[in-house]
Amino acid sequence: MEPRTAEAERSAEAERAAEEERTAEELRAAEELRAAEELRAADVERAVEQALALVGRQAQAAHLPPDRSDETGGSARPDGPARPNGPARAAGSARTGGPARPARPAPPAAPGETSGANGARSGAPVPPGRPSAAPLTSTPAHRARATPWSEARALAERLGRAAPRAAHRLPLDRSLGHVLAEAVVALTDLPSFDTSAMDGWVVAGPGPWNVREGEGLLAGRGTAEPLPDGEAVRIATGARIPVDATAVIRSEHARTDVAKGMLHGTREVVPGQDIRPRGQECRSGDLLLPVGTLVTPPVLGLAAAAGYDALVAVPRPRVDVLVLGDELLTGGLPHDGLIRDALGPMLGPWLRSLGAEVTGTRRLGDDADALREALTTSDADLILTTGGTAAGPVDHVHPVLAGTGAELLVDGVAVRPGHPMLLARIADGGPYLVGLPGNPLAAVSGLLTLAEPLLRGIAGRLPQDAYRASVREAVQGHPHDTRLVPVVHHTDSVVALHYNGPVMLRGIAAADGLAVVPPGGVRSGTEVEILDLPWASATPWTEGCFT
């Protein structure tokens, strides 16, 4: 075969390049078309779900409030398994220029959950006998939109760290629980003079010693006279050591000869024993506590000893708590479809344990206008809402946020319970908003996933130390999402507690932490990350009927 000419080779090369470019353009066009079709299909699926939910709710008795669980397709019962889901979703989604696409099933739920996204968001368990609402099932589009749990928590922490921090000077008696905005530096030597560490005798030179008459040396009595060699004088703990003294002999290690006025040591006397020398703890100018230190009772004591009357600290983050839902009672027993608000009494103390200042807990019901006013007039650092984060007819959080121009930072998290949680920033430099699901344990999940790391950052607190512990028994997981399970420590492992469904508080009430269980679950002996609860160190570890 004759070799091709240079011109023919250039022509062939140009044709190959043109063909590759055409292929790339066709692939890009096909990808854009596929993405557009999936987006349209997801919108249709969402519209169908909302329509089914509305139809299901209208079919309920008029006097019964809606049942909006963040985790259940029917009404979750505290005394038994969740009810079956409501009407089946449409089998296909309308697509332009093609047949309907079959709906993919939602993933199986973890124990105590079903795959739906719209059960009771009440803040308390659903009372037995309450009719179930039509489900808002978890669509593939929503699952794809959900932020992975670890990423959502890391984002909340970064946002908190980036928040601008003020600083104010607080007297010591008002500084507890704040975080230092300025370091504590020693203003004097500690101790500021040589002092006696024990009650006994201060002596000079070798013994035995002549006993000097008088009441002896007491704390707070000023400068002591020099002590010549061969003499001893009584001394109290904290009293100033005389010049030229050799040691302090404890009372129980000395014997006096009253007749001769002499003091004898019953043990070897070592020069400097039981004397606290000046500057033993610190020298003036030493760094005692760095910026970011949490002010605890011992910190207050150290600051006072070092000469401080006030500390420069970061103000506590201010938090508004907004409880949503017409179905909530503030007292008495559940009745006629109404249930007790469990989140209102729980969130305020929990937030305070994280160092926040709770400005108030307001109950707004299912009033979109009241919610809009509360969001746009708040001067808090963080707004916490309970319920209303799903897509039901009276779930107003998303529409109100959109109407006010808020920036949605996290819209759903791949975690169970609590996947409908959200994180937003109110427009025009307004506060952050964390939307918690209404089911109690789901709300705790949102609190620890988004609110706790965000508040730590705003308050200047250090991140919680991450640690892992092995599970004593296998823990079932969700097929796709992280699962947070209440646990209690037991010797060298943790034990998962029962009553860990999204509407239940019985398990978390006995827990001292939450285990972070990866998708698919873990076998016995596997190490998992543990999220400590704020009061865990003060709570006796118990198991009993909860394990």
Side-chain angles (χ1 to χ4, degrees), residues 261-453:
M262 299 296 291
L263 176 75
H264 300 267
T266 60
R267 296 187 180 183
E268 180 186 2
V269 176
V270 179
Q273 72 179 28
D274 288 330
I275 293 177
R276 295 187 62 215
R278 176 174 180 164
Q280 182 187 51
E281 185 169 0
C282 65
R283 290 291 184 180
S284 180
D286 285 353
L287 175 65
L288 299 180
L289 298 166
V291 171
T293 299
L294 178 66
V295 179
T296 61
V299 166
L300 293 175
L302 176 59
Y308 284 82
D309 300 316
L311 295 173
V312 179
V314 179
R316 294 178 185 271
R318 294 165 301 154
V319 182
D320 288 342
V321 178
L322 307 178
V323 178
L324 311 181
D326 288 342
E327 69 272 34
L328 301 180
L329 295 169
T330 58
L333 294 175
H335 62 86
D336 300 324
L338 302 177
I339 53 180
R340 283 294 299 269
D341 168 30
L343 295 181
M346 179 177 71
L347 290 178
W350 198 313
L351 292 166
R352 292 185 188 96
S353 73
L354 297 175
E357 175 187 336
V358 180
T359 55
T361 298
R362 299 171 56 189
R363 291 172 172 81
L364 303 183
D366 288 319
D367 188 332
D369 292 335
L371 177 59
R372 184 177 300 104
E373 179 185 6
L375 300 190
T376 55
T377 60
S378 173
D379 61 354
D381 299 296
L382 171 65
I383 301 171
L384 211 63
T385 62
T386 69
T389 58
V394 290
D395 290 332
H396 298 307
V397 174
H398 279 92
V400 169
L401 287 175
T404 60
E407 180 184 7
L408 199 56
L409 303 169
V410 174
D411 186 12
V413 176
V415 66
R416 302 300 174 108
H419 70 278
M421 68 181 75
L422 61 85
L423 173 61
R425 183 72 184 268
I426 305 301
D428 302 323
Y432 286 103
L433 179 141
V434 171
L436 303 178
N439 281 333
L441 190 56
V444 169
S445 174
L447 189 66
L448 295 182
T449 300
L450 298 177
E452 187 260 356

Side-chain angles (χ1 to χ4, degrees), residues 37-63:
E37 288 177 347
E38 288 189 354
L39 182 61
R40 284 195 297 271
D43 290 338
V44 171
E45 287 177 353
R46 199 156 45 245
V48 170
E49 291 169 352
Q50 292 177 358
L52 287 172
L54 180 59
V55 170
R57 291 177 186 277
Q58 290 175 342
Q60 296 179 12
H63 70 281

